[in-house]
Amino acid sequence: MELKTSLASKFHLPGEFLKEFHCRTLESGFQPQQVENKGCEESLDEPALISVDLLKVLDWLHENELPRPLEKEACDIPVLLFVPEYSTSHLLFHYDGTPSSANLIKRFIGLFHNQIVDSKATIISPSFIPKSKIKEEQELIQLVSQSTRETSFIKFNFQRIGDFWSYAVKHDCSLLVTTKSYQSDLAKVLFHFYKGSLWSDKLSFYLSM
């Protein structure tokens, strides 16, 4: 399906790099590089997900001297930056105690529910969470645990997207789930490490509001 011109204009990326998916819940056989199957149970008017080939984007970014943000302004539609070995085998969730972070994880679970039943999941949360957020944190852990095969929960005071990226690479995570507020910094990290000694060609990224 061709991306609508109005939607493509929200991105700094060439429109041919983008694919849109309208299923409220992705099918178990979902592949981000393929055209959407019309057999989804519920189809939405606006895309539920936009997928972008990460290697093509990085080659394109390197045509410029400096990295550019992926979007002109972050929009509400989630973006999946996928690599050739795309997999949901080991998910890394970033929870920072904010409502948007909680919604991000809930939205991902709803969209990818059929894909992650056999996945391993790791949730990273700050060492200090206000008492008012403890219940929400526990509910998110329970939600992820009920949706995946195996779930672990750890406390790290990561402040930069590079910290999450380094952890994900070191622990063989296949998909990092984080907020779009990091996408500008993520573009810089990927731009500088692409094809370098620290590069991973097995890690995809899910970004949402």
Side-chain angles (χ1 to χ4, degrees):
M1 182 180 295
E2 293 294 328
L3 202 68
K4 295 179 182 178
T5 303
S6 60
L7 187 57
S9 66
K10 295 179 183 293
F11 292 81
H12 280 298
L13 305 173
E16 62 268 23
F17 286 3
L18 313 175
K19 283 189 171 58
E20 58 179 295
F21 298 86
H22 291 254
C23 290
R24 182 179 293 277
T25 300
L26 299 173
E27 298 177 310
S28 58
F30 163 79
Q31 290 297 325
Q33 72 276 18
Q34 296 179 359
V35 177
E36 183 174 51
N37 190 315
K38 301 297 184 181
C40 56
E41 293 183 3
E42 184 177 1
S43 183
L44 306 175
D45 291 335
E46 289 295 320
L49 179 72
I50 294 173
S51 73
V52 183
D53 187 317
L54 181 56
L55 300 190
K56 288 183 179 178
V57 167
L58 289 171
D59 284 335
W60 180 80
L61 285 175
H62 275 78
E63 294 177 1
N64 304 279
E65 292 185 3
L66 297 173
R68 301 172 63 179
L70 303 175
E71 297 177 57
K72 296 175 182 177
E73 292 184 10
C75 68
D76 189 51
I77 303 172
V79 173
L80 176 66
L81 302 171
F82 68 90
V83 293
E85 295 186 43
Y86 164 78
S87 168
T88 57
S89 61
H90 188 178
L91 311 171
L92 180 61
F93 291 98
H94 171 209
Y95 173 67
D96 63 9
T98 63
S100 60
S101 179
N103 291 334
L104 161 78
I105 296 175
K106 293 175 183 177
R107 191 173 189 178
F108 174 88
I109 294 293
L111 185 60
F112 284 81
H113 178 76
N114 293 328
Q115 282 213 306
I116 62 175
V117 290
D118 293 320
S119 299
K120 176 181 178 180
T122 301
I123 305 169
I124 291 182
S125 176
S127 295
F128 174 77
I129 287 287
K131 288 184 178 180
S132 61
K133 295 295 182 181
I134 292 177
K135 181 180 179 182
E136 178 181 75
E137 184 181 66
Q138 293 174 340
E139 290 175 347
L140 287 174
I141 295 171
Q142 184 177 15
L143 174 64
V144 174
S145 298
Q146 292 173 343
S147 304
T148 58
R149 174 179 55 82
E150 175 186 343
T151 300
S152 58
F153 176 70
I154 56 179
K155 292 281 190 176
F156 284 127
N157 288 325
F158 289 166
Q159 299 293 327
R160 301 172 302 175
I161 189 62
D163 295 329
F164 292 96
W165 179 75
S166 296
Y167 180 93
V169 173
K170 182 178 180 181
H171 293 85
D172 294 322
C173 299
S174 62
L175 182 58
L176 171 57
V177 179
T178 190
T179 173
K180 280 191 176 185
S181 63
Y182 280 118
Q183 67 177 350
S184 179
D185 290 336
L186 177 62
K188 295 175 184 177
V189 170
L190 296 174
F191 180 88
H192 290 298
F193 286 109
Y194 181 44
K195 295 184 178 178
S197 59
L198 298 178
W199 173 252
S200 170
D201 60 358
K202 298 180 180 179
L203 181 62
S204 299
F205 301 85
Y206 172 92
L207 306 171
S208 185
M209 301 289 280

